[in-house]
Amino acid sequence: MSEQISDRAGLPNLIDRMKQLIPAKFRRDAAIVPVVRLSGVIGAVTPLRPGLTLAGIAKTLERAFATRHAKAVALVINSPGGSPVQSRQIYLRIRQLAAEKKLPVLVFVEDVAASGGYMIACAGDEIFCDPSSILGSIGVVGGSFGFQDLIKRIGVERRLYTAGEHKAMLDPFLPEDPGDVARLKTLQREIHAIFIALVKGSRGARLQGADDVLFTGEYWAGEKSVALGLADKIGDIRSTLRERYGEKVLTPVIAPASGMLSGLLGRRSPGAGSLADGIGGLPDDLISALETRAIWAKFGF
């Protein structure tokens, strides 16, 4: 009789152990929130570290939103910005998938979600950040160099042939033209207006600052960002998801295919070419790497 009681007492433990052998997506005892990490400069490409692009992240996003029995999708963002086009395209794809799958999107900011990084963060129904996170930089920036005096000193003659009055606009080997600068600034204002409209459309009444505060390109730490309505709460991903979905919440990280499998499928990283291509593109790659470093350095990283 005592043996039977002992066997019955051990049955729940056996069932629990058996449940652990069942793949997470088929279990009903825990909520599932797939996690996608979006890190790096947006649109910048170097051979060893491709930037964030829609082409590079689309399949990963689709897999995350297609996760069976998902309660939400969590995005972990750590980006100082980059291409406004790629930023907006990634934002739009996230919102499209959220609407199709009827899933809420929870964004968690790590070190920084600035400029294009913040544009992507606005795809979240809620934005969480650390007190030391940096958010904002809602503006547009462009830069170049002026080499016209340098090439004169080293005895290089610039030969440039164009069809079209403004085809050589802002050429770094020609003297700066005030008319070209004015045209560039007009273009930047147009892009800035698109950015502002996206933030206002996404954050709505949660925004607490005036336009001449929020949209100057300034950025803020976590607590101030929450006060301005750029973020919703201070919180980390583990604590927030456990509080919302229970201690047993499952958070599978959805990552792009890589390594041998990626090679067998014929996939190549953006910007990765042959060895000859790599050698030929070294000057451009060096400049791209320096620009990437400068973007991060702007925010102290």
Side-chain angles (χ1 to χ4, degrees):
M1 184 68 176
S2 62
E3 290 179 357
Q4 291 178 347
I5 293 174
S6 176
D7 290 342
R8 290 173 184 170
L11 187 58
N13 291 332
L14 177 60
I15 292 174
D16 287 341
R17 288 196 296 271
M18 292 296 292
K19 284 182 178 180
Q20 298 302 316
L21 300 177
I22 301 173
K25 63 182 180 180
F26 298 118
R27 284 158 55 184
R28 299 290 190 274
D29 62 333
I32 301 174
V33 180
V35 177
V36 177
R37 297 187 62 86
L38 301 174
S39 301
V41 175
I42 302 163
V45 176
T46 62
L48 298 180
R49 187 178 289 249
L52 275 175
T53 62
L54 178 59
I57 198 67
K59 291 295 184 183
T60 303
L61 290 172
E62 290 168 7
R63 286 170 52 211
F65 280 93
T67 301
R68 294 184 63 184
H69 311 302
K71 297 294 184 182
V73 171
L75 305 178
V76 179
I77 295 180
N78 193 12
S79 173
S83 164
V85 173
Q86 291 299 323
S87 302
R88 186 171 181 274
Q89 288 186 348
I90 293 171
Y91 164 91
L92 290 174
R93 182 61 59 86
I94 293 167
R95 292 316 310 163
Q96 290 162 357
L97 290 169
E100 290 171 11
K101 301 299 182 179
K102 297 179 173 58
L103 287 174
V105 178
L106 307 178
V107 166
F108 296 87
V109 177
E110 292 191 320
D111 297 299
V112 58
S115 194
Y118 183 71
M119 184 183 289
I120 295 176
C122 284
D125 295 289
E126 295 178 75
I127 300 176
F128 301 85
C129 60
D130 186 85
S132 298
S133 297
I134 291 175
L135 292 85
S137 191
I138 302 168
V140 181
V141 64
S144 183
F145 300 93
F147 295 111
Q148 69 274 10
D149 292 332
L150 174 63
I151 62 174
K152 287 180 181 178
R153 282 200 296 269
I154 62 177
V156 175
E157 180 184 355
R158 174 67 163 153
R159 295 175 179 175
L160 185 66
Y161 312 99
T162 67
E165 182 181 355
H166 303 297
K167 188 62 179 177
M169 188 174 79
L170 300 176
D171 186 296
F173 296 100
L174 295 175
E176 186 175 68
D177 183 336
D180 290 347
V181 175
R183 280 184 283 273
L184 174 63
K185 287 186 175 293
T186 298
L187 182 63
Q188 288 179 324
R189 284 192 292 270
E190 292 174 2
I191 297 172
H192 193 198
I194 294 169
F195 194 171
I196 292 171
L198 183 148
V199 174
K200 287 185 172 181
S202 300
R203 300 299 296 167
R206 288 175 288 186
L207 293 174
Q208 298 300 312
D211 286 9
D212 59 0
V213 173
L214 294 175
F215 306 129
T216 63
E218 188 177 355
Y219 45 88
W220 302 270
E223 295 282 3
K224 184 64 174 179
S225 298
V226 172
L228 291 171
L230 297 176
D232 295 286
K233 295 179 182 177
I234 298 295
D236 65 279
I237 185 169
R238 186 173 185 270
S239 301
T240 301
L241 295 184
R242 285 190 168 199
E243 178 183 349
R244 187 161 300 190
Y245 298 107
E247 292 293 319
K248 294 184 179 181
V249 63
L250 301 172
T251 55
V253 176
I254 312 300
S258 60
M260 183 179 295
L261 179 59
S262 177
L264 290 174
L265 294 176
R267 297 184 58 185
R268 295 170 64 184
S269 299
S274 67
L275 178 59
D277 292 339
I279 294 173
L282 279 177
D284 288 340
D285 295 335
L286 177 58
I287 293 174
S288 179
L290 291 173
E291 290 177 340
T292 299
R293 181 64 261 165
I295 293 173
W296 278 109
K298 177 181 177 182
F299 303 99
F301 298 102

